[in-house]
Amino acid sequence: MTDTVLPLSANAKTEADIDPTLDLVEAINALRKEKNAVILAHYYQEGEIQDLADFVGDSLDLSRKAAATDADMIVFCGVRFMGEVAKILSPGKIVVIPDAEAGCSLEESCRPEPFAAFRAKHPDHVAVTYINCSADIKALSDVIVTSSNAEVIVNSLPKDKPILFAPDRHLGAFIAKKTGRDMTLWPGSCIIHEQFSEKELVKLKTRNPKALVAAHPECPESVLRHADYIGSTKGILDYVIKTDNQEFIIATEPHIIHQMTKAAPTKTFIPAPFAEGACASCADCPFMAKNTLEKIYLAMLNEGPALQVPEELRTQALKPLERMLELSASVPMGGSSNAQ
């Protein structure tokens, strides 16, 4: 798989070089102005990172918003594939991520050589690929989708064309059920959404009978069958804000609750449970958790870890992204903006 993260320079500063008395938020704000940078934070980041960002949202919407700014630097507080998308859409901008090791279980589950072989076995299929994948996989795909536009895009494809869907099998199964399309699924899954427990969710609903369940379609079908709403992270956020109900069980990475609480402080949001006995923070994405204020500061100071997508790969990966944008033009961008 193509290594899209450039190595840091030999004289790059490390956490050991940070003055312990430094006000990190103040220092980051100073670098934001000095570097003409825009800071993006995914909904699954810690609340203090979300509050620091210029834009908070889902991965693709953040990249599109950053591309529309006049920023020279994009600081993407999320995971590596998100930084790649930002670089693909904004090749002339410096794109940095706080931690080069912030990957994604879905991305790791779908490698280029096995995926190319998967495609070769089904030459008559359209390859529809979830955005949670590497630039290499995007370049091997016909069209990219997100959880918010997958149904629209799949419905727009020729009815006589069978579909390959990768890498999330749960999202693929959900879309196949919604659209009635013939879909062959890659066997990947998100390590967080995979672990929500149907048994414990039923118990939680019994203890909170007024709570509605909002779930991400990366969850297994056994969990989705109990949901009152199924949708993307932004879709879930909009649902709990706009719905009159006052209590909700949230079956996705729980840091989204930070935005829910800010938007609807009088409502109650309960994280969906893992198996009995699981730790309270088990539902936190370990990859998203690699990002910290210290690493954001250093990424801006060092201008790295920086993303570099080779031009041939970038143009190949851009094609299915552009097709997605064309086919989903009617699906509005999501995300919220923080005033600075």
Side-chain angles (χ1 to χ4, degrees):
M1 191 160 71
T2 304
D3 187 356
T4 56
V5 181
L6 295 173
L8 289 170
S9 64
N11 60 351
K13 301 296 185 182
T14 68
E15 290 194 44
D17 298 313
I18 299 177
D19 182 342
T21 66
L22 181 69
D23 184 322
L24 286 168
V25 172
E26 185 177 297
I28 289 169
N29 284 333
L31 283 171
R32 175 171 12 209
K33 184 175 181 180
E34 176 189 334
K35 305 273 187 178
N36 188 27
V38 61
I39 300 175
L40 313 177
H42 192 272
Y43 287 128
Y44 296 166
Q45 291 292 281
E46 291 282 353
E48 63 180 1
I49 295 177
Q50 294 184 40
D51 291 343
L52 182 71
D54 295 290
F55 298 107
V56 181
D58 287 333
S59 59
L60 177 66
D61 291 334
L62 290 174
S63 291
R64 292 167 70 183
K65 286 178 177 176
T69 73
D70 62 357
D72 296 314
M73 174 186 287
I74 297 172
V75 184
F76 212 126
C77 304
V79 294
R80 186 175 53 243
F81 81 80
M82 299 179 185
E84 286 183 349
V85 172
K87 188 65 177 179
I88 290 167
L89 295 179
S90 300
K93 298 182 189 294
I94 297 168
V95 179
V96 300
I97 53 177
D99 194 312
E101 300 303 315
C104 171
S105 58
L106 282 167
E107 178 185 351
E108 295 299 324
S109 77
C110 191
R111 295 287 182 157
E113 288 188 6
F115 184 71
F118 181 62
R119 286 220 61 180
K121 289 180 181 178
H122 306 87
D124 59 331
H125 286 52
V126 178
V128 176
T129 308
Y130 190 29
I131 198 168
N132 294 40
C133 65
S134 67
D136 289 294
I137 298 301
K138 290 180 176 71
L140 292 168
S141 305
D142 294 310
V143 61
I144 304 300
V145 298
T146 68
S147 52
S148 61
N149 65 25
E151 183 180 352
V152 170
I153 289 176
V154 167
N155 274 328
S156 74
L157 299 174
K159 303 299 182 185
D160 61 340
K161 279 286 189 180
I163 294 169
L164 298 180
F165 191 95
D168 192 285
R169 62 190 175 94
H170 297 307
L171 175 60
F174 173 73
I175 297 301
K177 184 177 180 180
K178 291 277 286 184
T179 62
R181 296 300 297 270
D182 176 16
M183 293 170 62
T184 300
L185 309 179
W186 182 270
S189 63
C190 167
I191 59 172
I192 297 302
H193 293 91
E194 175 84 358
Q195 295 184 68
F196 288 121
S197 167
E198 179 187 21
K199 179 181 178 181
E200 295 304 314
L201 176 60
V202 171
K203 290 181 182 178
L204 185 60
K205 287 184 65 176
T206 301
R207 295 194 299 271
N208 299 274
K210 295 181 180 180
L212 299 178
V213 178
H216 196 283
E218 289 179 27
C219 294
E221 197 278 332
S222 59
V223 170
L224 297 182
R225 69 167 65 107
H226 299 282
D228 298 283
Y229 175 84
I230 302 169
S232 68
T233 316
K234 179 59 166 60
I236 292 173
L237 178 60
D238 289 342
Y239 170 75
V240 301
I241 293 171
K242 294 174 181 177
T243 303
D244 290 337
N245 205 69
Q246 295 298 300
E247 297 179 26
F248 300 88
I249 296 170
I250 308 301
T252 191
E253 211 278 356
H255 283 105
I256 183 62
I257 293 175
H258 179 70
Q259 291 294 322
M260 295 174 177
T261 302
K262 287 175 67 175
T266 63
K267 295 185 178 184
T268 300
F269 305 104
I270 309 165
F274 276 12
E276 184 178 6
C279 62
S281 62
C282 284
D284 295 353
C285 174
F287 301 106
M288 293 283 186
K290 289 182 177 292
N291 299 323
T292 63
L293 292 182
E294 289 82 1
K295 291 177 182 177
I296 294 169
Y297 167 72
L298 289 171
M300 298 178 75
L301 186 68
N302 295 324
E303 298 193 359
L307 277 295
Q308 183 61 57
V309 182
E311 184 59 17
E312 182 178 358
L313 175 60
R314 190 191 75 82
T315 56
Q316 290 173 341
L318 181 61
K319 291 177 184 177
L321 280 167
E322 289 180 328
R323 190 174 184 204
M324 174 187 69
L325 296 175
E326 176 188 348
L327 294 176
S328 63
S330 62
V331 181
M333 286 200 298
S336 55
S337 174
N338 285 331
Q340 292 296 323

